[in-house]
Amino acid sequence: MDLDVERLLGAVERTVTSLERDGKAARAVTLARSYATPVENLWDAVTSAERIPRWFLPVSGRLELGGRYQLEGNAGGTITHCERPSFLGLTWEFGSDLSWVEARMGNDGAGRSRLAVTHTTPVSDHWHKFGPGAVGVGWEMGLLGMELHLTRPDEPRLDGATFHTTRDGKALITGSSAAWGRAAEAAGADPDMARSAAQRTAAFYTGDPVAPD
C-alpha cells in the first residue's frame, strides 16, 4: 500500500501544553486533523466496538459511560465521559501507569469533520526520555488508520507488527517523531533535549539505532 507520507504528516496539527493533573506536573499532547466524513460517522468509528479494530486495535469490555474497556495488548481503563457525537473521555491504564485521553469531534465544513485527541500524562522519567512523541506517534498512527478506514474501507488494515519495517512506515514514524520534537520546542522544551527525545522515540518505534549527535 503506497502512502503520501508528506501529505499525511502535514495533515496533523500537534501541540504540547504544560499543566497540573491531580496536583502533579503533567503534559497534554494534542493532535488533530480533518476527515472527509460527517461527524456522526466519525463518532461511530471512534466508539463502535465493531469498527474500532478496523482502524486501531481489537477492543473488549462495556463501551458505555462508566464501563471498562481493554485494548488487545495495550491499555485499558474506564469511560468517564460520553457526549454523542462530540466528546469521549477515558482513563488510559497501562501497567501501573495512569493517564487520560479525550477525543473531541465536530463539523469541519461541508461533509467534513475534525477529530482532536488529547493524551494527558504525568511528567516522569519516561517523558524526559521520549518527550511527547512517546504517545503522539502512536496516536498519529491511529489517525492514519482512521483515514484508511474511512477512505479505503474494503482494504485490509495496516499490519501493526510490520508497518514500522516498510519504507512508508519508517518515513511516517521518523517524520512524526521529528514533528513532535518541534512541538516540544514550541512549548518551551530545550531544543537539544527535544531533538534527542525525538530521535529516541523514532528508534523505539522503528527498531533502528539512535542516530549519533
Side-chain angles (χ1 to χ4, degrees):
M1 179 186 297
D2 290 330
L3 301 173
D4 186 341
V5 173
E6 291 303 315
R7 180 187 67 81
L8 291 167
L9 290 171
V12 179
E13 301 171 21
R14 306 168 186 86
T15 57
V16 181
T17 306
S18 299
L19 70 159
E20 283 193 0
R21 181 82 188 225
D22 295 342
K24 298 179 180 179
R27 298 291 185 270
V29 176
T30 300
L31 55 163
R33 61 156 297 173
S34 180
Y35 294 99
T37 195
V39 68
E40 284 283 357
N41 187 48
L42 182 61
W43 171 266
D44 188 66
V46 169
T47 60
S48 165
E50 191 271 332
R51 292 181 68 181
I52 291 170
R54 300 186 196 175
W55 63 271
F56 197 48
L57 290 169
V59 63
S60 58
R62 187 163 58 90
L63 303 190
E64 59 186 49
L65 185 61
R68 295 280 303 178
Y69 73 93
Q70 179 63 54
L71 293 164
E72 185 176 292
N74 206 296
T78 300
I79 298 170
T80 57
H81 299 82
C82 186
E83 302 172 15
R84 184 187 185 101
S86 59
F87 180 56
L88 179 71
L90 47 88
T91 63
W92 188 266
E93 303 167 27
F94 189 82
S96 61
D97 294 329
L98 171 65
S99 54
W100 304 268
V101 173
E102 298 175 341
R104 290 178 169 82
M105 285 146 275
N107 292 314
D108 197 32
R112 298 192 68 86
S113 54
R114 176 181 171 85
L115 172 62
V117 176
T118 298
H119 194 145
T120 301
T121 181
V123 176
S124 63
D125 290 343
H126 189 264
W127 175 272
H128 291 307
K129 183 175 181 179
F130 294 105
V135 296
V137 172
W139 282 115
E140 202 158 327
M141 296 305 104
L143 295 193
L144 166 61
M146 177 67 78
E147 167 161 304
L148 297 177
H149 169 58
L150 294 173
T151 61
R152 310 182 193 182
D154 297 325
E155 295 186 16
R157 185 172 68 89
L158 289 175
D159 184 354
T162 60
F163 181 62
H164 67 282
T165 68
T166 67
R167 179 197 63 190
D168 289 343
K170 283 181 179 289
L172 272 166
I173 290 167
T174 302
S176 173
S177 299
W180 282 112
R182 293 191 293 272
E185 286 187 54
D190 175 86
D192 290 336
M193 293 179 66
R195 285 191 292 271
S196 295
Q199 291 173 356
R200 286 191 287 269
T201 298
F204 172 81
Y205 277 98
T206 64
D208 293 339
V210 177
D213 295 332

